[in-house]
Amino acid sequence: MKKYIIAAALLVGTVTVITTSINSCTTLATTDLGVSVIKRFLLNGIDKGMAVYGNKSAFLQNNLVDKALPKELREINTMLEKVAPSLVAKEREYIAEAASYTVNISRPILQNAVSSLNTQDVSRIIQGPKGTATLILKEKTSQQLVAAITPKVDEQLNQYGIVKTINTALAGSNFLGNLLGGSNNTVNAGGLSRLASEQLVDGIFNIIEDYEVQNSKALLGPLGK
């Protein structure tokens, strides 16, 4: 009987230590110092993403941006590969050019969202899996970012004439109209710009999340992450 009592006491003691440790980490994280660490951590990830978007070569070589390609745009590129392979490369290049024009639009939106982080957000980051900080940032800004950069992306893609070029290459394809909201055989410029904008926004978050995952132990370890 004494053995069971001792074992139970040890178990209760262990749970208490673990619970106390978790609570202590969460408490530390939600202090001004902890919140400051989380904010700086996210700002570093944003800076990394903006550096990629501001450099055409870095943008084109970043597979995290490629992974953000929307399904519809991927399908268009698959069709283009069959009839005009070089056009896919041009499309990517023009989107890369447009990306550099969105940096000054996206950066303040992301920075303001980081500034607005509160102790509830930070607690969720500390208690959640890796990537939670980026997820919260995405929840706060994703729709706003797409709405903000789409006009600039549309302006740039129209300047480069990519929509007209795609329409010429895929003339007569009903697939395009159904996919992007144009007529039966033309792609809608606004639809293409919207897809490109979604790729740019999701690509930014992919880069920030990668930074978070790769560096969370070193930067957030003292907070219990």
Side-chain angles (χ1 to χ4, degrees):
M1 183 68 177
K2 290 182 179 179
K3 292 182 179 180
Y4 292 116
I5 294 174
I6 293 172
L10 289 173
L11 179 60
V12 170
T14 301
V15 171
T16 300
V17 170
I18 293 173
T19 302
T20 301
S21 177
I22 292 173
N23 289 337
S24 297
C25 290
T26 302
T27 300
L28 175 61
T30 54
T31 62
D32 289 342
L33 176 60
V35 173
S36 177
V37 170
I38 296 290
K39 288 182 177 181
R40 173 46 53 190
F41 180 70
L42 279 171
L43 289 173
N44 287 343
I46 291 169
D47 286 343
K48 182 176 180 180
M50 294 298 104
V52 170
Y53 275 46
N55 185 307
K56 181 178 176 181
S57 296
F59 181 93
L60 290 172
Q61 295 171 13
N62 195 294
N63 67 331
L64 295 173
V65 176
D66 286 337
K67 288 180 180 179
L69 196 69
K71 176 178 176 290
E72 295 90 343
L73 193 51
R74 196 177 300 279
E75 291 176 356
I76 289 175
N77 289 347
T78 297
M79 294 183 65
L80 288 174
E81 288 284 4
K82 297 176 182 178
V83 296
S86 63
L87 189 52
V88 177
K90 286 184 178 180
E91 175 203 277
R92 293 183 68 245
E93 183 176 343
Y94 294 153
I95 290 176
E97 293 277 4
S100 65
Y101 287 94
T102 67
V103 170
N104 291 335
I105 300 173
S106 300
R107 189 194 297 273
I109 292 174
L110 290 166
Q111 290 175 336
N112 288 339
V114 171
S115 296
S116 73
L117 289 177
N118 53 43
T119 54
Q120 184 177 357
D121 294 323
V122 174
S123 294
R124 181 180 164 194
I125 291 168
I126 294 301
Q127 296 174 25
K130 291 181 180 179
T132 301
T134 304
L135 176 61
I136 291 174
L137 190 61
K138 186 173 185 177
E139 290 172 350
K140 289 177 177 289
T141 63
S142 182
Q143 292 184 356
Q144 183 183 0
L145 285 169
V146 172
I149 71 171
T150 296
K152 177 57 68 174
V153 173
D154 189 59
E155 175 187 318
Q156 293 302 311
L157 293 186
N158 282 325
Q159 177 181 326
Y160 300 135
I162 187 64
V163 175
K164 181 178 180 180
T165 305
I166 289 176
N167 283 332
T168 299
L170 295 177
S173 173
N174 292 333
F175 169 82
L176 286 178
N178 293 334
L179 187 64
L180 295 178
S183 63
N184 287 337
N185 60 357
T186 60
V187 65
N188 178 277
L192 184 63
S193 298
R194 177 79 179 189
L195 291 176
S197 298
E198 289 174 1
Q199 180 190 5
L200 294 181
V201 170
D202 288 342
I204 279 288
F205 289 121
N206 284 352
I207 294 172
I208 297 172
E209 181 180 24
D210 181 68
Y211 179 86
E212 177 184 354
V213 171
Q214 295 297 325
N215 296 280
S216 61
K217 184 175 182 180
L219 296 177
L220 301 183
L223 300 181
K225 184 67 172 175

